[in-house]
Amino acid sequence: MKEIIDTMIHLAIVKRSDDIHILPNGNSYNVFLRDGYQLKLEKTIDFDTGGQIIRYLKYLADMDVGERRVPQDGAIVYSIDNQNIELRLSSISNYLMHESLVIRVFHTAVVQAIETSVMNHEAYQVLNTYIRRKSGLMIFSGPVSSGKTTTIYQLLRNAYQQRTSQIITIEEPIEIKEPKFLQTEVNEKADITYDRLLSASLRHHPDIILIGEIRSEQTARMVIRAALTGHLVLATVHAKNTFGVIGRLKELGITNEQLLQTLLLVTAQRLVPVQTDKINVVTDKLALFELLHGEDLSRFILKYEIPTDFKTLNALLKEAHDYGLISETTMEEYQVETITHN
């Protein structure tokens, strides 16, 4: 049984997959790895073995092995291939009380830098220009597994190399370990919230602060305060694209004037599989960035005015397809629905 688990985790590491899904399918269990927006079937195992694997992993994660009715979550530091891999587990049963398990794999041992290409070289230059600012707010958006955290840490490491700085991160959970930074982790059960950590961080006089996610009005207000008082703040916001980020911040009570005073740049990122004819190889990924900054950002904040030459994510996907970098199927899968502001 442990051999099957080791094989699953090893495959996830080699293929740089973020999730392992162990899902019941009648009299068997299917094991999938997530690749972008799709699941790829890796193995089918018999029902009893699948149940044993789920119970064993729940035991390691200090979850209630006998409880199948209530959804549970837990965490493990799993030793494999001479390294420790952090796993986050989530279990849910179907109406037949057949458990499923999703394992989030945090690739902390080796963090691959996202490679630049003709499609994103200019965007990286813009991002690295803004990371040198002394104060202000940079917002990153994108779905799970879009490469946001990798991009942010690349930028923070570049900033640290250029000028030794105190960098504090507030995350839930910490996905990338970096000993040069002061990394803190949110723990709602222990009342260690984003707001409490951010308040404490401001008293610690950092140069740069990373906020894992702006979720509430309180956090949004504190982020603005931090950016206004001489700190460079990086944060993530859930939104479809850069324009949606502005709308979300306004929903959280941030005024136009506050946005104009603090917001330097907004980026929406996608990590899309590169087209290849090879079989059974790691799928390379292409990072695409929709960037809103400078005068374009100010005009959108005030008037919802979109520049005629603005490169949306959809335009970038089409361009990548025209270059032959991604397939037509990938282009269509990653298209973003847009809403026109009146």
Side-chain angles (χ1 to χ4, degrees):
M1 181 177 62
K2 189 175 185 304
E3 184 179 345
I4 296 174
I5 297 172
D6 286 352
T7 300
M8 289 190 310
I9 297 171
H10 175 77
L11 276 173
I13 294 168
V14 169
K15 296 189 176 185
R16 300 201 293 273
S17 177
D18 291 323
D19 296 335
I20 302 169
H21 293 247
I22 307 174
L23 306 179
N25 182 28
N27 295 322
S28 62
Y29 271 89
N30 289 333
V31 179
F32 298 90
L33 295 184
R34 180 171 293 285
D35 182 10
Y37 283 173
Q38 62 181 330
L39 295 177
K40 290 190 174 179
L41 179 63
E42 293 293 337
K43 190 178 184 65
T44 297
I45 53 182
D46 66 80
F47 189 84
D48 289 340
T49 302
Q52 289 172 9
I53 288 171
I54 290 173
R55 289 191 293 273
Y56 178 67
L57 288 170
K58 285 176 66 178
Y59 168 76
L60 293 180
D62 200 25
M63 298 159 70
D64 187 342
V65 175
E67 177 59 77
R68 291 184 295 174
R69 297 165 299 174
V70 179
Q72 297 182 62
D73 55 67
I76 311 171
V77 176
Y78 196 86
S79 297
I80 184 173
D81 298 338
N82 296 317
Q83 58 181 307
N84 292 326
I85 302 295
E86 186 175 353
L87 308 176
R88 297 294 171 103
L89 276 58
S90 171
S91 70
I92 299 178
S93 292
N94 63 16
Y95 73 100
L96 297 172
M97 289 296 108
H98 298 166
E99 279 191 290
S100 66
L101 189 72
V102 174
I103 306 167
R104 185 83 192 275
V105 182
F106 292 97
H107 303 273
T108 55
V110 178
V111 178
Q112 297 276 344
I114 298 176
E115 295 183 4
T116 58
S117 74
V118 66
M119 287 299 306
N120 57 29
H121 178 70
E122 185 177 340
Y124 272 120
Q125 289 183 322
V126 172
L127 289 167
N128 277 300
T129 296
Y130 280 102
I131 198 67
R132 292 196 290 267
R133 296 289 184 92
K134 296 285 188 180
S135 64
L137 175 61
M138 298 172 66
I139 298 286
F140 298 77
S141 68
V144 174
S145 301
S146 63
K148 297 188 302 295
T149 305
T150 302
T151 296
I152 290 170
Y153 268 81
Q154 272 185 251
L155 294 171
L156 291 176
R157 285 166 174 162
N158 290 346
Y160 189 90
Q161 288 174 359
Q162 291 164 7
R163 182 181 69 251
T164 302
S165 309
Q166 185 184 20
I167 299 173
I168 298 180
T169 77
I170 303 170
E171 304 172 78
E172 183 190 12
I174 295 170
E175 297 183 32
I176 297 174
K177 305 295 193 300
E178 177 48 73
K180 295 183 180 69
F181 306 160
L182 178 54
Q183 295 179 287
T184 66
E185 191 166 69
V186 171
N187 185 338
E188 298 283 354
K189 292 179 180 178
D191 198 29
I192 304 173
T193 63
Y194 275 110
D195 297 342
R196 293 191 70 174
L197 286 172
L198 181 51
S199 180
S201 296
L202 292 176
R203 295 193 296 271
H204 227 56
H205 300 293
D207 299 291
I208 304 175
I209 304 173
L210 166 62
I211 311 295
E213 184 184 343
I214 299 176
R215 295 178 177 175
S216 66
E217 293 184 10
Q218 172 82 3
T219 304
R221 287 194 297 269
M222 294 185 71
V223 164
I224 295 296
R225 175 188 158 203
L228 284 170
T229 54
H231 306 88
L232 181 62
V233 182
L234 283 67
T236 71
V237 170
H238 281 300
K240 285 184 179 180
N241 54 22
T242 53
F243 308 125
V245 169
I246 305 302
R248 178 62 181 145
L249 290 173
K250 290 184 178 184
E251 285 178 4
L252 292 171
I254 306 305
T255 66
N256 284 351
E257 185 59 30
Q258 289 172 324
L259 291 174
L260 291 171
Q261 289 288 326
T262 59
L263 196 54
L264 301 172
L265 170 144
V266 180
T267 179
Q269 180 172 339
R270 296 295 185 275
L271 204 57
V272 298
V274 173
Q275 189 167 236
T276 178
D277 295 328
K278 298 177 182 178
I279 301 174
N280 294 328
V281 297
V282 175
T283 305
D284 288 329
K285 302 293 176 65
L286 171 67
L288 299 176
F289 300 92
E290 178 183 288
L291 296 180
L292 187 60
H293 60 101
E295 289 299 321
D296 292 343
L297 175 58
S298 298
R299 282 195 294 269
F300 187 80
I301 290 171
L302 292 173
K303 303 177 181 178
Y304 288 112
E305 183 180 315
I306 301 174
T308 54
D309 59 347
F310 185 77
K311 283 195 174 183
T312 64
L313 282 168
N314 289 348
L316 292 167
L317 286 164
K318 185 178 185 308
E319 191 174 334
H321 174 256
D322 292 343
Y323 273 115
L325 296 172
I326 65 173
S327 68
E328 185 173 355
T329 300
T330 296
M331 179 182 71
E332 292 172 351
E333 284 179 352
Y334 284 80
Q335 288 281 320
V336 178
E337 292 183 16
T338 57
I339 299 174
T340 303
H341 291 274
N342 297 320

